[in-house]
Amino acid sequence: MSEDISAALAGWDFHADDLQVRMIAGDDGRERIQMRIDLGVLQMECEGRPDGQRPDGFDSFLDQYEARRNETETAGDEFSLEPDACSILMREGLQYYHRYLSAFHLQLYDMVARDTERNLRLFAFVARYASRRRDKIQFDQYRPYVAMMRSRALALKELARNDHAAALEKIDDGVRLIREFLEEYHQGDREADCSELSFLLRWRRDVQHDRPTGPLERLEEQLELAVALEIYEEAARLRDQIRKLKGAEAPEAPGLGMTATQPGSIIQDQ
C-alpha cells in the first residue's frame, strides 16, 4: 500500500477562505469525516475520540481522568489536574473541536450537540480540578463559543422541523449559559462586548420575526396588546373570536370586565 496521499487529495484543492469537509466511507465500511487543510487532510472517526484511540481502554482521556478522580476521592484523597494532564486534555479537546466544526458544516447537528456538550463537560472538569488558575482560564475562555455552537446546532435542528418555538428555547438556553459565564467572571455589564452572545440575540430576533403564526396565536397576541393598551371593547371582541376558534371559553383576560368609559391607570379623573 502506498503511503503517498496525493491520490486522496487529487481534485480536492485547498481554499484558505473555505471550510472544506466531506463524509467518506472507510475501507472497513464505517463513515468518517475528512477536513481539508493546507498540507493535507484530517480524518476523524464519527464515534469516540476523533482519532479512534482508546487511552488505557477508556473512550477518552477525559473519561480516564474522571475515573481517576472518582477513585482518588473515594479513597479520601484530594484530586487535582497538573499542567501535563491539562495539556493532554487540551489536545484531546481540540480533536473534538475539529469534529464538531466539520459536523456543523455537514449539518450533522446531533453530532455537534454531542461533541460540544462533551467539551463543555471538559471545561467544567478542568475549571474545578486544575492546580493552576492559568489552566482553568485557558479552557474556560472557550465556554461562550462552545455554548453558542451547541445552541446553534440544536436550534437549527428544530428549525429544520419548522418548530420555531422549540428553536427559540434552544437559543434562549445558549443565551442563559453565556450570561452565566459573564456573571461568573464579573463581566455582566459587558454583554455588548461578547460576540457569541450578540450573535445569539440577533439570531433570536430573526427567528422570532420569521416565526409563522396561526390565526389563534395572532388573535391572542392582539388580545394581549389590546388589554395592555386598555382598549377593552376591542379586547372583548378578540376574546369572542378566540372562544369561537377554540370551541371553548378562553381564560378571562385581566380588566375585561371594565367598560370603555371607565378610567384606566393612565387617564385619571381630574
Side-chain angles (χ1 to χ4, degrees):
M1 181 181 297
S2 173
E3 296 179 349
D4 189 349
I5 66 171
S6 298
L9 300 180
W12 196 17
D13 296 333
F14 174 73
H15 301 288
D17 295 332
D18 298 322
L19 177 64
Q20 297 165 265
V21 297
R22 66 187 181 187
M23 187 77 76
I24 61 102
D27 293 337
D28 57 3
R30 297 205 317 271
E31 287 187 323
R32 291 177 175 86
I33 295 174
Q34 290 184 340
M35 174 189 288
R36 184 71 164 91
I37 57 177
D38 53 353
L39 294 177
V41 62
L42 298 178
Q43 181 165 292
M44 295 164 275
E45 299 287 339
C46 294
E47 303 291 336
R49 268 176 61 111
D51 64 1
Q53 299 298 309
R54 288 180 55 83
D56 293 331
F58 288 90
D59 287 341
S60 68
F61 276 113
L62 176 58
D63 290 290
Q64 182 182 27
Y65 283 117
E66 286 178 330
R68 190 176 300 175
R69 181 271 316 271
N70 293 338
E71 293 174 359
T72 301
E73 292 183 345
T74 299
D77 297 324
E78 185 175 343
F79 176 81
S80 65
L81 290 168
E82 298 306 316
D84 287 347
C86 290
S87 295
I88 290 171
L89 290 171
M90 178 59 78
R91 287 195 296 272
E92 183 175 79
L94 186 60
Q95 289 190 19
Y96 285 87
Y97 161 74
H98 286 311
R99 186 166 68 189
Y100 75 66
L101 196 63
S102 301
F104 188 87
H105 187 78
L106 294 170
Q107 300 182 20
L108 302 173
Y109 298 129
D110 285 334
M111 187 182 297
V112 178
R114 181 197 66 196
D115 283 355
T116 50
E117 287 168 6
R118 185 267 178 201
N119 270 6
L120 289 173
R121 186 177 114 227
L122 167 66
F123 302 160
F125 185 68
V126 174
R128 180 172 180 181
Y129 293 107
S131 60
R132 299 190 309 180
R133 176 171 171 78
R134 180 194 317 173
D135 291 320
K136 298 179 182 182
I137 298 300
Q138 185 181 17
F139 282 79
D140 215 25
Q141 65 178 320
Y142 300 114
R143 200 192 331 164
Y145 174 79
V146 179
M148 177 195 71
M149 290 298 293
R150 173 183 175 274
S151 181
R152 290 178 69 186
L154 292 173
L156 285 169
K157 181 180 176 181
E158 299 297 346
L159 288 175
R161 294 198 287 250
N162 209 29
D163 191 339
H164 285 63
L168 289 169
E169 289 180 3
K170 303 303 183 184
I171 297 172
D172 288 341
D173 188 46
V175 169
R176 176 186 59 80
L177 290 174
I178 296 174
R179 281 177 168 159
E180 287 177 357
F181 170 87
L182 294 174
E183 290 296 333
E184 186 176 330
Y185 285 93
H186 309 290
Q187 300 293 315
D189 59 341
R190 299 189 59 186
E191 287 191 358
D193 298 327
C194 180
S195 58
E196 295 87 358
L197 179 60
S198 297
F199 172 85
L200 287 182
L201 291 175
R202 288 196 304 271
W203 189 33
R204 191 193 193 287
R205 288 194 293 269
D206 292 340
V207 172
Q208 179 67 45
H209 180 268
D210 296 336
R211 178 184 180 183
T213 56
L216 179 60
E217 188 173 5
R218 286 195 295 271
L219 286 172
E220 288 175 337
E221 290 176 354
Q222 293 172 23
L223 173 60
E224 183 179 349
L225 178 61
V227 172
L229 296 176
E230 300 182 359
I231 309 175
Y232 299 115
E233 288 182 346
E234 175 65 9
R237 185 185 67 79
L238 291 167
R239 177 198 59 197
D240 291 340
Q241 286 186 291
I242 290 172
R243 283 177 174 170
K244 290 178 181 178
L245 279 177
K246 286 184 174 180
E249 286 202 2
E252 190 72 17
L256 289 189
M258 300 177 65
T259 66
T261 58
Q262 290 178 293
S265 58
I266 298 177
I267 304 175
Q268 301 291 337
D269 288 334
Q270 301 297 321

